[in-house]
Amino acid sequence: MAPQKLNDYERKRLENIRRNDEMMAALKLHSKATQLSNFKRSQRVGTKSYNMKSEKKPKTETPIVIRRSLRTRGIPPDSKGLVGDSVGPTTPTKTKPSVVNLGPISMADARESAHSDSSFVESLMGMAQLEAQDVSVEKEKVEASLGLESLYLDPKNIARVVPGRITSLRFFPSSSVKMVAVGNKFGNVGFWNVGESEVHLYRPHRAPISGILIQPHCFSKIYTSCYDGILRLMDVEKEIFDLVFECDESIYALSLPTNETNCLYLAEGYGGLTIWDNRIGKRSSHWVLHESRINTIDFNCENPHIVATSSTDGTACTWDLRYTDGDKLRALRTFTHKRSVQSAYFSPSGCSLATTSLDNTIGIYSGVNLEDAAVINHNNLTGRWLSTFRAKWGWDDSYLFVGNMKRGVDVVSSVERKIVMTLESQHMSAIPCRFDTHSYEVGMLAGATSGGQVYIWTSR
């Protein structure tokens, strides 16, 4: 076979190989590489671990000790270090809670405002005297002709009344004064005369305020209830927060019928309704009405013996307090929701009932026996950082006002059974959760937020 003819590339490659071999031979690289390889092989053989045999150390046998208590070994307990000779059970030392005073607290000690409250005390006393003179004069019923388009928010009618989340909000039921009382989650109670710059702040409690009660003809005496199970009376004449009632259970709501001045109605513990009689200074009645806590207590203004309760057990009920079966009450009507019912309020005429539930619905019940039901879908999931929504009736049976998660106020029509309008303003910086309407000023609506602000909507 004839040898294959090489091309230029192959000839160049062979020439490079030959030249490199000659260069490596001149430098004696092959012999040096062989010497280095033999040296490393001999060093590796001498350091192998399996050639180095270490002597085994004898194991020291340590006995296994099984721990047994003195009781199982039949030995009496060791009483060393105990005070005295007694080894019986000792009572643990109780740590004092943070300044919980179960007696009367002076307004001066409870005040957290930097300025003096002398002018505030004088104004409350003046309001009380003025209202006492008007007791014999029957006030005309407020005509509730209101155009929703006339409601607006003046920047002057915005104030931060308390620190933190507001849990309770009330207008003073006065035709001469526009003042609100506010309670928050820290136990503060704040007072603000709408339009003024000063806010008067007190702290008579150490837990969330669950209710504020202002009697129509006695503004100098204001009741406050709290989750710590304490009911106090703010007596402006004596300038103290007096202790009225104290229990081991939390108080979740506080109410009073329109025709009653001596008996207070408390939502106590899980599902309990308690009547506290100030004349005898103790409970006069107690019923367990729900399987879980009662969130609101509301009386029918036309029939004060009819009361509505809302509960976390997912129901709202109406009750007739005149008919009791021993220590039990039987519900007149039960309104069921899929989740917790946060409020149940009678309309101003007493002919309708509105409920607000965490199942994202607002229920409106009307008719002779509240048998006509309407359900309006509404986002009521406020989360853990906001107070729950509670739809509040306006000045007649036409509209309900409820918070909106987009920093507005939704207006629900009970006639059209839907949201007909949303009150919005560039001045609102937070979500309004709790509402109240002024009894004698049609169009004056107060909304409270979880940042301690109060917004007052008025009619133009």
Side-chain angles (χ1 to χ4, degrees), residues 73-90:
R73 286 185 284 170
I75 302 175
D78 186 7
S79 60
K80 292 181 180 179
L82 296 178
V83 179
D85 297 330
S86 174
V87 295
T90 59

Side-chain angles (χ1 to χ4, degrees), residues 12 70 91 137 148 182 237 312 322 335 343 372 381 417 431 449:
K12 184 66 175 175
L70 297 177
T91 56
V137 180
L148 295 177
V182 173
E237 295 180 6
T312 305
R322 297 173 299 178
F335 310 94
S343 66
D372 184 12
L381 299 180
R417 299 183 177 185
I431 299 172
T449 72

Side-chain angles (χ1 to χ4, degrees), residues 362-403:
I362 296 173
I364 301 177
Y365 307 91
S366 56
V368 178
N369 297 315
L370 304 176
E371 71 280 357
D372 184 12
V375 178
I376 295 96
N377 293 323
H378 187 271
N379 182 12
N380 298 326
L381 299 180
T382 56
R384 62 177 297 185
W385 304 112
L386 302 179
S387 296
T388 53
F389 287 160
R390 295 178 177 179
K392 185 76 174 179
W393 289 97
W395 300 267
D396 59 10
D397 292 12
S398 302
Y399 301 108
L400 287 156
F401 298 91
V402 64

Side-chain angles (χ1 to χ4, degrees), residues 101-107 109 232-233 239-244:
N101 187 355
L102 296 182
I105 302 175
S106 67
M107 290 178 60
D109 292 338
R232 290 193 180 275
L233 171 64
E239 297 190 12
I240 62 170
F241 287 92
D242 203 358
L243 178 65
V244 177

Side-chain angles (χ1 to χ4, degrees), residues 202-216:
Y202 301 90
R203 195 181 183 192
H205 299 276
R206 290 295 183 272
I209 301 295
S210 58
I212 299 175
L213 188 58
I214 306 171
Q215 296 187 3

Side-chain angles (χ1 to χ4, degrees), residues 100-107 204-206 222-226 228-235 238-248 251 264 266 276-278 281-282:
V100 177
N101 187 355
L102 296 182
I105 302 175
S106 67
M107 290 178 60
H205 299 276
R206 290 295 183 272
I222 302 169
Y223 291 95
T224 58
S225 62
C226 181
D228 59 6
I230 292 178
L231 173 67
R232 290 193 180 275
L233 171 64
M234 178 182 176
D235 193 329
K238 299 179 181 178
E239 297 190 12
I240 62 170
F241 287 92
D242 203 358
L243 178 65
V244 177
F245 173 69
E246 188 267 333
C247 65
D248 296 331
I251 299 176
L264 304 174
L266 315 171
W276 176 266
D277 195 332
N278 282 323
K282 64 179 183 180

Side-chain angles (χ1 to χ4, degrees), residues 1-12:
M1 183 175 178
Q4 188 177 1
K5 189 176 181 180
L6 300 177
N7 55 22
D8 294 339
Y9 172 78
E10 291 294 335
R11 286 194 297 271
K12 184 66 175 175

